[in-house]
mmCIF file of all heavy atoms in Angstrom:
data_model
loop_
_atom_site.group_PDB
_atom_site.id
_atom_site.type_symbol
_atom_site.label_atom_id
_atom_site.label_comp_id
_atom_site.label_asym_id
_atom_site.label_seq_id
_atom_site.Cartn_x
_atom_site.Cartn_y
_atom_site.Cartn_z
ATOM 1 N N PHE A 1 -15.365 -75.625 -56.249
ATOM 2 C CA PHE A 1 -16.722 -75.699 -55.749
ATOM 3 C C PHE A 1 -17.237 -74.330 -55.276
ATOM 4 O O PHE A 1 -18.423 -74.009 -55.625
ATOM 5 C CB PHE A 1 -16.872 -76.782 -54.668
ATOM 6 C CG PHE A 1 -18.178 -76.857 -54.069
ATOM 7 C CD1 PHE A 1 -19.133 -77.686 -54.666
ATOM 8 C CD2 PHE A 1 -18.473 -76.236 -52.838
ATOM 9 C CE1 PHE A 1 -20.451 -77.775 -54.047
ATOM 10 C CE2 PHE A 1 -19.783 -76.386 -52.329
ATOM 11 C CZ PHE A 1 -20.687 -77.046 -52.954
ATOM 12 N N GLY A 2 -16.484 -73.696 -54.527
ATOM 13 C CA GLY A 2 -16.951 -72.314 -54.045
ATOM 14 C C GLY A 2 -17.264 -71.331 -55.133
ATOM 15 O O GLY A 2 -18.200 -70.590 -55.138
ATOM 16 N N ALA A 3 -16.325 -71.373 -56.227
ATOM 17 C CA ALA A 3 -16.529 -70.444 -57.274
ATOM 18 C C ALA A 3 -17.845 -70.898 -58.110
ATOM 19 O O ALA A 3 -18.537 -70.099 -58.708
ATOM 20 C CB ALA A 3 -15.311 -70.455 -58.156
ATOM 21 N N ALA A 4 -17.981 -72.265 -58.234
ATOM 22 C CA ALA A 4 -19.133 -72.729 -58.979
ATOM 23 C C ALA A 4 -20.488 -72.442 -58.363
ATOM 24 O O ALA A 4 -21.451 -71.980 -59.067
ATOM 25 C CB ALA A 4 -18.906 -74.268 -59.230
ATOM 26 N N ILE A 5 -20.604 -72.520 -56.962
ATOM 27 C CA ILE A 5 -21.810 -72.256 -56.322
ATOM 28 C C ILE A 5 -22.016 -70.842 -55.904
ATOM 29 O O ILE A 5 -23.094 -70.371 -55.679
ATOM 30 C CB ILE A 5 -21.911 -73.179 -55.094
ATOM 31 C CG1 ILE A 5 -23.311 -73.290 -54.567
ATOM 32 C CG2 ILE A 5 -21.035 -72.773 -54.012
ATOM 33 C CD1 ILE A 5 -24.341 -73.954 -55.462
ATOM 34 N N GLY A 6 -20.910 -70.080 -55.763
ATOM 35 C CA GLY A 6 -20.953 -68.754 -55.223
ATOM 36 C C GLY A 6 -21.864 -67.793 -56.027
ATOM 37 O O GLY A 6 -22.636 -67.121 -55.484
ATOM 38 N N PHE A 7 -21.698 -67.894 -57.360
ATOM 39 C CA PHE A 7 -22.528 -66.918 -58.205
ATOM 40 C C PHE A 7 -24.063 -67.209 -58.036
ATOM 41 O O PHE A 7 -24.822 -66.285 -57.974
ATOM 42 C CB PHE A 7 -22.151 -67.056 -59.633
ATOM 43 C CG PHE A 7 -22.654 -65.978 -60.525
ATOM 44 C CD1 PHE A 7 -21.992 -64.750 -60.467
ATOM 45 C CD2 PHE A 7 -23.693 -66.145 -61.344
ATOM 46 C CE1 PHE A 7 -22.459 -63.698 -61.337
ATOM 47 C CE2 PHE A 7 -24.186 -65.082 -62.186
ATOM 48 C CZ PHE A 7 -23.554 -63.854 -62.078
ATOM 49 N N GLU A 8 -24.390 -68.480 -58.016
ATOM 50 C CA GLU A 8 -25.815 -68.843 -57.715
ATOM 51 C C GLU A 8 -26.311 -68.407 -56.352
ATOM 52 O O GLU A 8 -27.443 -67.976 -56.218
ATOM 53 C CB GLU A 8 -26.046 -70.337 -57.970
ATOM 54 C CG GLU A 8 -26.004 -70.794 -59.442
ATOM 55 C CD GLU A 8 -24.711 -70.559 -60.164
ATOM 56 O OE1 GLU A 8 -23.681 -70.845 -59.444
ATOM 57 O OE2 GLU A 8 -24.695 -70.194 -61.279
ATOM 58 N N LEU A 9 -25.400 -68.565 -55.364
ATOM 59 C CA LEU A 9 -25.856 -68.136 -53.973
ATOM 60 C C LEU A 9 -26.107 -66.563 -54.059
ATOM 61 O O LEU A 9 -26.966 -66.137 -53.287
ATOM 62 C CB LEU A 9 -24.729 -68.454 -53.058
ATOM 63 C CG LEU A 9 -24.700 -69.919 -52.710
ATOM 64 C CD1 LEU A 9 -23.453 -70.115 -51.688
ATOM 65 C CD2 LEU A 9 -25.893 -70.410 -52.076
ATOM 66 N N VAL A 10 -25.234 -65.832 -54.851
ATOM 67 C CA VAL A 10 -25.535 -64.423 -54.902
ATOM 68 C C VAL A 10 -26.933 -64.177 -55.436
ATOM 69 O O VAL A 10 -27.619 -63.277 -54.902
ATOM 70 C CB VAL A 10 -24.454 -63.778 -55.785
ATOM 71 C CG1 VAL A 10 -24.796 -62.306 -56.063
ATOM 72 C CG2 VAL A 10 -23.074 -63.772 -55.092
ATOM 73 N N GLY A 11 -27.312 -64.899 -56.563
ATOM 74 C CA GLY A 11 -28.555 -64.752 -57.074
ATOM 75 C C GLY A 11 -29.742 -65.053 -56.056
ATOM 76 O O GLY A 11 -30.825 -64.416 -56.006
ATOM 77 N N VAL A 12 -29.554 -66.186 -55.276
ATOM 78 C CA VAL A 12 -30.558 -66.575 -54.370
ATOM 79 C C VAL A 12 -30.736 -65.579 -53.236
ATOM 80 O O VAL A 12 -31.874 -65.068 -52.913
ATOM 81 C CB VAL A 12 -30.195 -67.843 -53.742
ATOM 82 C CG1 VAL A 12 -31.105 -68.266 -52.470
ATOM 83 C CG2 VAL A 12 -30.200 -69.046 -54.743
ATOM 84 N N CYS A 13 -29.640 -65.044 -52.719
ATOM 85 C CA CYS A 13 -29.676 -64.069 -51.660
ATOM 86 C C CYS A 13 -30.178 -62.720 -52.049
ATOM 87 O O CYS A 13 -30.926 -61.994 -51.359
ATOM 88 C CB CYS A 13 -28.397 -63.937 -50.925
ATOM 89 S SG CYS A 13 -27.763 -65.410 -50.116
ATOM 90 N N ALA A 14 -29.838 -62.390 -53.307
ATOM 91 C CA ALA A 14 -30.306 -61.067 -53.849
ATOM 92 C C ALA A 14 -31.850 -61.093 -54.085
ATOM 93 O O ALA A 14 -32.494 -60.115 -53.704
ATOM 94 C CB ALA A 14 -29.613 -60.777 -55.225
ATOM 95 N N LEU A 15 -32.420 -62.220 -54.503
ATOM 96 C CA LEU A 15 -33.825 -62.325 -54.667
ATOM 97 C C LEU A 15 -34.523 -62.318 -53.318
ATOM 98 O O LEU A 15 -35.573 -61.481 -53.175
ATOM 99 C CB LEU A 15 -34.183 -63.689 -55.462
ATOM 100 C CG LEU A 15 -34.062 -63.671 -56.904
ATOM 101 C CD1 LEU A 15 -34.203 -65.067 -57.465
ATOM 102 C CD2 LEU A 15 -35.048 -62.745 -57.568
ATOM 103 N N MET A 16 -34.074 -63.004 -52.326
ATOM 104 C CA MET A 16 -34.722 -62.969 -51.001
ATOM 105 C C MET A 16 -34.566 -61.632 -50.345
ATOM 106 O O MET A 16 -35.473 -61.145 -49.654
ATOM 107 C CB MET A 16 -34.087 -64.105 -50.138
ATOM 108 C CG MET A 16 -34.351 -65.545 -50.715
ATOM 109 S SD MET A 16 -36.145 -65.799 -50.981
ATOM 110 C CE MET A 16 -36.780 -65.645 -49.365
ATOM 111 N N PHE A 17 -33.483 -60.928 -50.553
ATOM 112 C CA PHE A 17 -33.320 -59.642 -50.001
ATOM 113 C C PHE A 17 -34.293 -58.649 -50.586
ATOM 114 O O PHE A 17 -34.985 -57.911 -49.842
ATOM 115 C CB PHE A 17 -31.796 -59.086 -50.214
ATOM 116 C CG PHE A 17 -31.610 -57.734 -50.007
ATOM 117 C CD1 PHE A 17 -31.570 -57.311 -48.688
ATOM 118 C CD2 PHE A 17 -31.495 -56.748 -50.963
ATOM 119 C CE1 PHE A 17 -31.337 -55.933 -48.415
ATOM 120 C CE2 PHE A 17 -31.229 -55.478 -50.690
ATOM 121 C CZ PHE A 17 -31.163 -55.003 -49.446
ATOM 122 N N ALA A 18 -34.420 -58.698 -51.931
ATOM 123 C CA ALA A 18 -35.490 -57.929 -52.638
ATOM 124 C C ALA A 18 -36.894 -58.230 -52.110
ATOM 125 O O ALA A 18 -37.670 -57.310 -51.910
ATOM 126 C CB ALA A 18 -35.401 -58.131 -54.080
ATOM 127 N N ARG A 19 -37.173 -59.466 -51.852
ATOM 128 C CA ARG A 19 -38.542 -59.857 -51.358
ATOM 129 C C ARG A 19 -38.795 -59.143 -50.052
ATOM 130 O O ARG A 19 -39.981 -58.653 -49.948
ATOM 131 C CB ARG A 19 -38.672 -61.438 -51.241
ATOM 132 C CG ARG A 19 -39.914 -61.853 -50.722
ATOM 133 C CD ARG A 19 -39.958 -63.361 -50.755
ATOM 134 N NE ARG A 19 -41.423 -63.869 -50.445
ATOM 135 C CZ ARG A 19 -41.939 -64.234 -49.301
ATOM 136 N NH1 ARG A 19 -40.980 -64.128 -48.263
ATOM 137 N NH2 ARG A 19 -43.011 -64.586 -49.227
ATOM 138 N N HIS A 20 -37.885 -59.079 -49.209
ATOM 139 C CA HIS A 20 -38.187 -58.460 -47.901
ATOM 140 C C HIS A 20 -37.818 -56.970 -47.807
ATOM 141 O O HIS A 20 -38.299 -56.307 -46.856
ATOM 142 C CB HIS A 20 -37.296 -59.196 -46.831
ATOM 143 C CG HIS A 20 -37.766 -60.579 -46.583
ATOM 144 N ND1 HIS A 20 -38.855 -61.019 -45.892
ATOM 145 C CD2 HIS A 20 -37.142 -61.750 -47.083
ATOM 146 C CE1 HIS A 20 -38.944 -62.316 -45.910
ATOM 147 N NE2 HIS A 20 -37.966 -62.806 -46.559
ATOM 148 N N PHE A 21 -37.153 -56.482 -48.890
ATOM 149 C CA PHE A 21 -36.714 -55.084 -48.817
ATOM 150 C C PHE A 21 -37.559 -54.162 -49.590
ATOM 151 O O PHE A 21 -37.782 -53.024 -49.154
ATOM 152 C CB PHE A 21 -35.214 -55.050 -49.282
ATOM 153 C CG PHE A 21 -34.714 -53.681 -49.195
ATOM 154 C CD1 PHE A 21 -34.325 -53.208 -47.918
ATOM 155 C CD2 PHE A 21 -34.362 -52.857 -50.219
ATOM 156 C CE1 PHE A 21 -33.770 -51.913 -47.734
ATOM 157 C CE2 PHE A 21 -33.794 -51.550 -50.017
ATOM 158 C CZ PHE A 21 -33.499 -51.161 -48.866
ATOM 159 N N ILE A 22 -38.103 -54.544 -50.753
ATOM 160 C CA ILE A 22 -38.910 -53.704 -51.557
ATOM 161 C C ILE A 22 -40.217 -53.503 -50.751
ATOM 162 O O ILE A 22 -40.801 -54.352 -50.179
ATOM 163 C CB ILE A 22 -39.249 -54.346 -52.903
ATOM 164 C CG1 ILE A 22 -37.949 -54.467 -53.680
ATOM 165 C CG2 ILE A 22 -40.257 -53.468 -53.641
ATOM 166 C CD1 ILE A 22 -38.043 -55.158 -55.043
ATOM 167 N N GLU A 23 -40.614 -52.246 -50.751
ATOM 168 C CA GLU A 23 -41.762 -51.820 -49.923
ATOM 169 C C GLU A 23 -43.071 -52.560 -50.180
ATOM 170 O O GLU A 23 -43.291 -52.985 -51.418
ATOM 171 C CB GLU A 23 -41.957 -50.338 -50.091
ATOM 172 C CG GLU A 23 -40.732 -49.529 -49.857
ATOM 173 C CD GLU A 23 -39.973 -49.143 -51.118
ATOM 174 O OE1 GLU A 23 -40.079 -50.072 -52.029
ATOM 175 O OE2 GLU A 23 -39.307 -48.125 -51.185
ATOM 176 N N PRO A 24 -43.901 -52.698 -49.263
ATOM 177 C CA PRO A 24 -45.266 -53.309 -49.500
ATOM 178 C C PRO A 24 -46.080 -52.418 -50.538
ATOM 179 O O PRO A 24 -45.985 -51.263 -50.440
ATOM 180 C CB PRO A 24 -45.930 -53.311 -48.151
ATOM 181 C CG PRO A 24 -44.798 -53.281 -47.136
ATOM 182 C CD PRO A 24 -43.748 -52.536 -47.765
ATOM 183 N N GLY A 25 -46.692 -53.118 -51.467
ATOM 184 C CA GLY A 25 -47.475 -52.487 -52.394
ATOM 185 C C GLY A 25 -46.654 -51.944 -53.622
ATOM 186 O O GLY A 25 -47.199 -51.488 -54.636
ATOM 187 N N LYS A 26 -45.230 -52.080 -53.511
ATOM 188 C CA LYS A 26 -44.465 -51.655 -54.653
ATOM 189 C C LYS A 26 -43.965 -52.764 -55.541
ATOM 190 O O LYS A 26 -43.091 -52.570 -56.452
ATOM 191 C CB LYS A 26 -43.232 -50.919 -54.104
ATOM 192 C CG LYS A 26 -43.579 -49.703 -53.325
ATOM 193 C CD LYS A 26 -44.285 -48.613 -54.106
ATOM 194 C CE LYS A 26 -44.536 -47.286 -53.311
ATOM 195 N NZ LYS A 26 -45.209 -46.302 -54.158
ATOM 196 N N LEU A 27 -44.536 -54.032 -55.299
ATOM 197 C CA LEU A 27 -44.171 -55.127 -56.105
ATOM 198 C C LEU A 27 -45.424 -55.972 -56.289
ATOM 199 O O LEU A 27 -46.096 -56.168 -55.272
ATOM 200 C CB LEU A 27 -43.026 -55.988 -55.425
ATOM 201 C CG LEU A 27 -42.464 -57.061 -56.292
ATOM 202 C CD1 LEU A 27 -41.814 -56.736 -57.543
ATOM 203 C CD2 LEU A 27 -41.449 -57.930 -55.383
ATOM 204 N N HIS A 28 -45.670 -56.438 -57.533
ATOM 205 C CA HIS A 28 -46.877 -57.206 -57.732
ATOM 206 C C HIS A 28 -46.904 -58.493 -56.831
ATOM 207 O O HIS A 28 -45.904 -59.139 -56.626
ATOM 208 C CB HIS A 28 -46.945 -57.696 -59.142
ATOM 209 C CG HIS A 28 -48.283 -58.271 -59.602
ATOM 210 N ND1 HIS A 28 -48.679 -59.436 -59.161
ATOM 211 C CD2 HIS A 28 -49.189 -57.642 -60.435
ATOM 212 C CE1 HIS A 28 -49.897 -59.649 -59.737
ATOM 213 N NE2 HIS A 28 -50.279 -58.579 -60.385
ATOM 214 N N PRO A 29 -48.064 -58.742 -56.152
ATOM 215 C CA PRO A 29 -48.125 -59.756 -55.094
ATOM 216 C C PRO A 29 -47.718 -61.124 -55.686
ATOM 217 O O PRO A 29 -47.054 -61.968 -55.039
ATOM 218 C CB PRO A 29 -49.608 -59.780 -54.731
ATOM 219 C CG PRO A 29 -50.002 -58.368 -55.092
ATOM 220 C CD PRO A 29 -49.284 -57.914 -56.232
ATOM 221 N N ARG A 30 -48.064 -61.473 -56.963
ATOM 222 C CA ARG A 30 -47.671 -62.697 -57.483
ATOM 223 C C ARG A 30 -46.132 -62.821 -57.682
ATOM 224 O O ARG A 30 -45.556 -63.923 -57.553
ATOM 225 C CB ARG A 30 -48.367 -62.944 -58.814
ATOM 226 C CG ARG A 30 -49.889 -63.171 -58.708
ATOM 227 C CD ARG A 30 -50.572 -63.421 -60.141
ATOM 228 N NE ARG A 30 -52.014 -63.645 -59.917
ATOM 229 C CZ ARG A 30 -52.758 -63.873 -60.932
ATOM 230 N NH1 ARG A 30 -52.308 -63.946 -62.144
ATOM 231 N NH2 ARG A 30 -54.129 -64.103 -60.687
ATOM 232 N N ILE A 31 -45.605 -61.712 -58.095
ATOM 233 C CA ILE A 31 -44.061 -61.759 -58.306
ATOM 234 C C ILE A 31 -43.423 -62.005 -56.951
ATOM 235 O O ILE A 31 -42.517 -62.710 -56.807
ATOM 236 C CB ILE A 31 -43.648 -60.363 -58.865
ATOM 237 C CG1 ILE A 31 -44.085 -60.260 -60.349
ATOM 238 C CG2 ILE A 31 -42.066 -60.293 -58.905
ATOM 239 C CD1 ILE A 31 -43.751 -58.980 -61.043
ATOM 240 N N ARG A 32 -43.929 -61.158 -55.883
ATOM 241 C CA ARG A 32 -43.290 -61.385 -54.543
ATOM 242 C C ARG A 32 -43.562 -62.774 -54.016
ATOM 243 O O ARG A 32 -42.620 -63.412 -53.384
ATOM 244 C CB ARG A 32 -43.917 -60.382 -53.573
ATOM 245 C CG ARG A 32 -43.153 -60.221 -52.269
ATOM 246 C CD ARG A 32 -43.905 -59.342 -51.367
ATOM 247 N NE ARG A 32 -44.026 -58.048 -51.729
ATOM 248 C CZ ARG A 32 -43.166 -57.062 -51.599
ATOM 249 N NH1 ARG A 32 -42.095 -57.197 -50.927
ATOM 250 N NH2 ARG A 32 -43.314 -55.827 -52.027
ATOM 251 N N ALA A 33 -44.687 -63.429 -54.405
ATOM 252 C CA ALA A 33 -44.921 -64.703 -53.875
ATOM 253 C C ALA A 33 -44.057 -65.800 -54.646
ATOM 254 O O ALA A 33 -43.826 -66.919 -54.057
ATOM 255 C CB ALA A 33 -46.368 -65.135 -54.016
ATOM 256 N N THR A 34 -43.641 -65.490 -55.874
ATOM 257 C CA THR A 34 -42.842 -66.459 -56.718
ATOM 258 C C THR A 34 -41.425 -66.442 -56.416
ATOM 259 O O THR A 34 -40.722 -67.286 -56.681
ATOM 260 C CB THR A 34 -43.163 -66.054 -58.167
ATOM 261 O OG1 THR A 34 -44.603 -66.013 -58.334
ATOM 262 C CG2 THR A 34 -42.555 -67.181 -59.082
ATOM 263 N N ILE A 35 -40.994 -65.387 -55.751
ATOM 264 C CA ILE A 35 -39.521 -65.220 -55.450
ATOM 265 C C ILE A 35 -38.857 -66.436 -54.757
ATOM 266 O O ILE A 35 -37.871 -66.933 -55.115
ATOM 267 C CB ILE A 35 -39.284 -63.854 -54.631
ATOM 268 C CG1 ILE A 35 -39.481 -62.665 -55.613
ATOM 269 C CG2 ILE A 35 -37.861 -63.896 -54.037
ATOM 270 C CD1 ILE A 35 -39.302 -61.304 -54.848
ATOM 271 N N PRO A 36 -39.535 -66.990 -53.663
ATOM 272 C CA PRO A 36 -38.866 -68.065 -53.026
ATOM 273 C C PRO A 36 -38.705 -69.287 -53.951
ATOM 274 O O PRO A 36 -37.674 -70.006 -53.872
ATOM 275 C CB PRO A 36 -39.793 -68.445 -51.800
ATOM 276 C CG PRO A 36 -40.519 -67.150 -51.508
ATOM 277 C CD PRO A 36 -40.618 -66.493 -52.900
ATOM 278 N N ALA A 37 -39.718 -69.622 -54.832
ATOM 279 C CA ALA A 37 -39.625 -70.712 -55.752
ATOM 280 C C ALA A 37 -38.417 -70.519 -56.713
ATOM 281 O O ALA A 37 -37.782 -71.431 -57.013
ATOM 282 C CB ALA A 37 -40.900 -70.896 -56.451
ATOM 283 N N VAL A 38 -38.343 -69.270 -57.243
ATOM 284 C CA VAL A 38 -37.230 -69.067 -58.137
ATOM 285 C C VAL A 38 -35.820 -69.160 -57.449
ATOM 286 O O VAL A 38 -34.941 -69.664 -57.919
ATOM 287 C CB VAL A 38 -37.305 -67.611 -58.809
ATOM 288 C CG1 VAL A 38 -36.230 -67.337 -59.773
ATOM 289 C CG2 VAL A 38 -38.730 -67.557 -59.552
ATOM 290 N N ALA A 39 -35.777 -68.648 -56.171
ATOM 291 C CA ALA A 39 -34.482 -68.827 -55.372
ATOM 292 C C ALA A 39 -34.130 -70.274 -55.205
ATOM 293 O O ALA A 39 -33.038 -70.584 -55.382
ATOM 294 C CB ALA A 39 -34.701 -68.081 -54.117
ATOM 295 N N VAL A 40 -35.112 -71.183 -54.796
ATOM 296 C CA VAL A 40 -34.905 -72.579 -54.702
ATOM 297 C C VAL A 40 -34.485 -73.152 -56.030
ATOM 298 O O VAL A 40 -33.487 -73.896 -56.072
ATOM 299 C CB VAL A 40 -36.106 -73.264 -54.205
ATOM 300 C CG1 VAL A 40 -36.038 -74.762 -54.243
ATOM 301 C CG2 VAL A 40 -36.456 -72.784 -52.853
#
């Protein structure tokens, strides 16, 4: 179970990290707004 869900959790956390880490104005607003939905 851990191996099956682990890779997806990496993708979720990587997306949310990028959302808060990439500088303001350096990512299209619609892309930044869509990140939580893709992570879910």
